[in-house]
Amino acid sequence: YRQSIDILSSVQSPSLGFLGTPTLSRLSNSFLNSSFLNNSFRGKTPEVISNLVKPLIRPTTSDEQQQQQQHHEDIRKSSQYLLPSRKPSLQQIPEDQKPLVVGHEVSPYQQCSYTQGAMNGINVLCGVGILSTPYAIKQGGWIGLVILLVFALLAWYTGVLLRRCLDSKEGLQTYPDIGHAAFGTTGRIAISIILYVELYACCIEYLILESDNLSKLFPNVHLNIWGLAINSHVFFAILTTLVVMPTTWLRDLTCLSYISAGGVVASILVVICLCWIGVVDHVGFENKGTALNLPGIPIAIGLYGYCYSGHGVFPNIYSSLKNRNQFPSILFTCIGFSTILFTAAAVMGYKMFGESTESQFTLNLPENLVVSKIAVWATVANPITKYALTITPLAMSLEELLPRSQQKYSNIIILRSALVVSTLIIALSVPFFALVMALIGSLFAMLVTYILPCACFLAILKAKATWYQTATCSFIIAVGVTCACVGTYSSLSGIVQNYST
């Protein structure tokens, strides 16, 4: 889990392999060598570690040919896609077990500065959620923006609670570790499943996004295959799937993680383009809108909640910092900067397009403007680089469930390809971008960002918590549960209504 989520959060050094483990020379400077081996393989023999770091395909020399004949079984195993079993991590962490690094020493994976940690956090938060913030105002009205600000404040507080949980016991490094410390093995498994399903749902959202925006750029594209008419939306959803599928076959996605870090630049660029179109291209900001639209508040809750669904990665960012005392400040920087972008996009987009605002404001941009094309292409490029990073944690967890004899190159490709195709099928079945986003934000973001951090904090540190911390956590849990129930019901109802009409 830590390895795959660290790739998603872009905290390691770049290296690239194709469904195989990097060579030892490349491992010497990689995150896998400094963190994965030092932490996941504590207590394992050198023989086990050497087997796990063998590359998928190695150069063959005469000496190696002789060695292959003598150790055919070992070479056969090294040609498989090998991952450490998660079973040892499900065991209770002994109280007397001390980490390899104690005192004020910096562990091998604590390499990130303040700026790097902040950029990683902003990259996680500034995703496709920014595109629907104007639509959220359309749904809930101007007063609904208060929900965005409240969610930002609560997200910062619950992020600090996660840090308190990680510091409560030595050896805790990830969100599932916190769940294990709070609720045992059941908590670890439950939180892992929630995080994986959330990532899976985000991949579905990426395909819907690509389909909507590319069909805006090329609305006349269509195909007829054996009497089956394929419109532009379906065509581009399938095309995007074919483009991203090979990237999911990569074993080490670190290069993609650095490319996807451009998501911060892409988000800023899209907001700048929106402002440019309103000011320079004279689209104007004339729409006044409504102050409050009560029936649309549940959908707005889900859309705003989606914007702060980065807590699954925050523990890993915290573990990667050189100076962990900077984490609250880094968290404030990430959430504050992201909130400014969200608010700017929401206000400008809704003032420009008013009640005609689409689920993604890029769909409202005038087609004849060069700046509009820049904004749309920036929007399209970002999910393509993030898709593989997002689905890899789930893929790796499923691969660990395969019998060791079945963890072969061909089987891994088939499994990952099937996973990608399944997201395509769901994206084509539920092509409602805003409603799917609201569902993810209402259900998963409320759990991961607000409910579970407070619940874990109370379970782990209840004896040390002050009365106002207990009261605040109880209040946040109540708010999270209420928003989750109301938002999930409204999102599902909206999806059902779209099918019935």
Side-chain angles (χ1 to χ4, degrees):
Y1 177 89
R2 178 180 171 81
Q3 180 192 16
S4 57
I5 295 297
D6 273 327
I7 292 174
L8 176 63
S9 62
S10 183
V11 297
Q12 66 280 65
S13 303
S15 61
L16 183 65
F18 200 73
L19 268 186
T21 317
T23 61
L24 288 175
S25 61
R26 292 164 68 188
L27 269 174
S28 62
N29 293 321
S30 71
F31 170 84
L32 187 61
N33 186 49
S34 62
S35 172
F36 191 52
L37 296 181
N38 286 335
N39 292 280
S40 298
F41 298 127
R42 290 175 186 170
K44 296 185 181 294
T45 63
E47 290 78 8
V48 173
I49 296 176
S50 64
N51 280 334
L52 288 169
V53 298
K54 289 178 181 177
L56 176 67
I57 300 176
R58 301 186 303 175
T60 303
T61 64
S62 58
D63 292 338
E64 287 180 337
Q65 290 176 351
Q66 182 179 1
Q67 185 179 6
Q68 286 176 356
Q69 295 175 356
Q70 296 175 353
H71 305 283
H72 177 75
E73 182 65 16
D74 290 339
I75 299 303
R76 183 186 65 83
K77 290 181 180 180
S78 69
S79 67
Q80 298 172 356
Y81 179 76
L82 298 180
L83 286 172
S85 173
R86 186 184 295 148
K87 292 180 180 179
S89 65
L90 294 177
Q91 306 301 321
Q92 181 65 38
I93 301 174
E95 294 291 341
D96 58 349
Q97 180 178 335
K98 303 295 183 180
L100 295 179
V101 180
V102 295
H104 298 284
E105 297 178 15
V106 179
S107 63
Y109 52 87
Q110 286 181 249
Q111 301 296 329
C112 283
S113 64
Y114 183 102
T115 303
Q116 290 171 325
M119 287 298 296
N120 289 336
I122 293 171
N123 185 43
V124 171
L125 291 175
C126 287
V128 298
I130 194 173
L131 301 177
S132 292
T133 51
Y135 185 77
I137 296 183
K138 174 187 174 181
Q139 288 293 317
W142 288 109
I143 296 178
L145 273 177
V146 176
I147 298 174
L148 178 69
L149 301 179
V150 171
F151 280 175
L153 180 62
L154 297 183
W156 176 83
Y157 183 78
T158 54
V160 174
L161 291 184
L162 289 179
R163 180 213 178 175
R164 293 283 303 276
C165 292
L166 290 170
D167 291 341
S168 66
K169 184 183 298 185
E170 293 177 338
L172 303 185
Q173 300 172 2
T174 66
Y175 209 141
D177 288 344
I178 295 174
H180 191 109
F183 306 109
T185 300
T186 302
R188 175 185 289 274
I189 295 176
I191 288 179
S192 297
I193 291 175
I194 292 171
L195 293 174
Y196 288 141
V197 174
E198 181 187 25
L199 294 176
Y200 181 80
C202 288
C203 290
I204 297 171
E205 191 78 338
Y206 288 159
L207 294 182
I208 300 175
L209 169 70
E210 297 293 291
S211 174
D212 290 345
N213 283 276
L214 287 173
S215 61
K216 173 183 171 62
L217 290 172
F218 308 101
N220 297 323
V221 172
H222 65 278
L223 287 177
N224 285 291
I225 302 178
W226 299 311
L228 179 64
I230 299 178
N231 60 28
S232 60
H233 279 82
V234 176
F235 173 81
F236 285 115
I238 296 174
L239 179 63
T240 302
T241 302
L242 295 176
V243 170
V244 300
M245 186 178 292
T247 66
T248 65
W249 301 340
L250 296 170
R251 168 62 175 83
D252 188 345
L253 300 171
T254 332
C255 285
L256 278 182
S257 72
Y258 275 79
I259 297 174
S260 74
V264 180
V265 178
S267 298
I268 296 174
L269 178 61
V270 169
V271 174
I272 292 175
C273 289
L274 182 65
C275 181
W276 181 283
I277 292 171
V279 176
V280 179
D281 292 323
H282 306 294
V283 173
F285 305 97
E286 304 298 330
N287 294 284
K288 295 182 179 180
T290 57
L292 178 64
N293 180 29
L294 198 58
I297 286 292
I299 298 297
I301 287 174
L303 296 176
Y304 289 137
Y306 185 94
C307 294
Y308 298 103
S309 56
H311 279 52
V313 180
F314 285 158
N316 297 64
I317 293 178
Y318 173 65
S319 299
S320 71
L321 295 176
K322 291 180 181 178
N323 184 359
R324 296 186 176 185
N325 292 328
Q326 295 177 336
F327 181 72
S329 178
I330 290 175
L331 199 61
F332 182 84
T333 301
C334 298
I335 295 177
F337 181 84
S338 301
T339 302
I340 292 173
L341 277 184
F342 298 150
T343 305
V347 172
M348 289 190 296
Y350 188 56
K351 288 288 289 182
M352 288 170 65
F353 309 118
E355 293 304 309
S356 63
T357 301
E358 299 280 354
S359 60
Q360 308 150 61
F361 68 75
T362 50
L363 302 179
N364 288 104
L365 300 180
E367 298 180 4
N368 60 325
L369 299 178
V370 174
V371 178
S372 297
K373 297 184 184 300
I374 293 174
V376 174
W377 279 112
T379 301
V380 167
N382 196 25
I384 291 178
T385 61
K386 284 191 173 182
Y387 184 97
L389 295 168
T390 306
I391 207 168
T392 290
L394 174 60
M396 293 176 70
S397 69
L398 294 177
E399 289 154 18
E400 291 179 5
L401 301 179
L402 294 175
R404 181 57 64 89
S405 60
Q406 297 300 316
Q407 294 180 4
K408 299 178 181 179
Y409 181 87
S410 57
N411 291 345
I412 296 305
I413 288 183
I414 292 173
L415 188 149
R416 294 195 176 198
S417 300
L419 202 57
V420 174
V421 171
S422 69
T423 62
L424 170 64
I425 294 173
I426 298 176
L428 293 177
S429 303
V430 193
F432 315 119
F433 183 84
L435 293 175
V436 173
M437 179 178 287
L439 178 61
I440 299 171
S442 299
L443 182 56
F444 299 110
M446 290 300 153
L447 281 170
V448 174
T449 305
Y450 304 108
I451 299 173
L452 289 176
C454 294
C456 291
F457 176 80
L458 292 178
I460 297 173
L461 296 167
K462 186 175 183 179
K464 299 180 180 179
T466 61
W467 68 268
Y468 63 84
Q469 287 176 330
T470 302
T472 302
C473 288
S474 301
F475 171 75
I476 295 175
I477 290 175
V479 171
V481 171
T482 302
C483 292
C485 294
V486 173
T488 301
Y489 175 80
S490 298
S491 302
L492 291 176
S493 298
I495 292 174
V496 171
Q497 290 176 4
N498 275 274
Y499 272 120
S500 59
T501 56

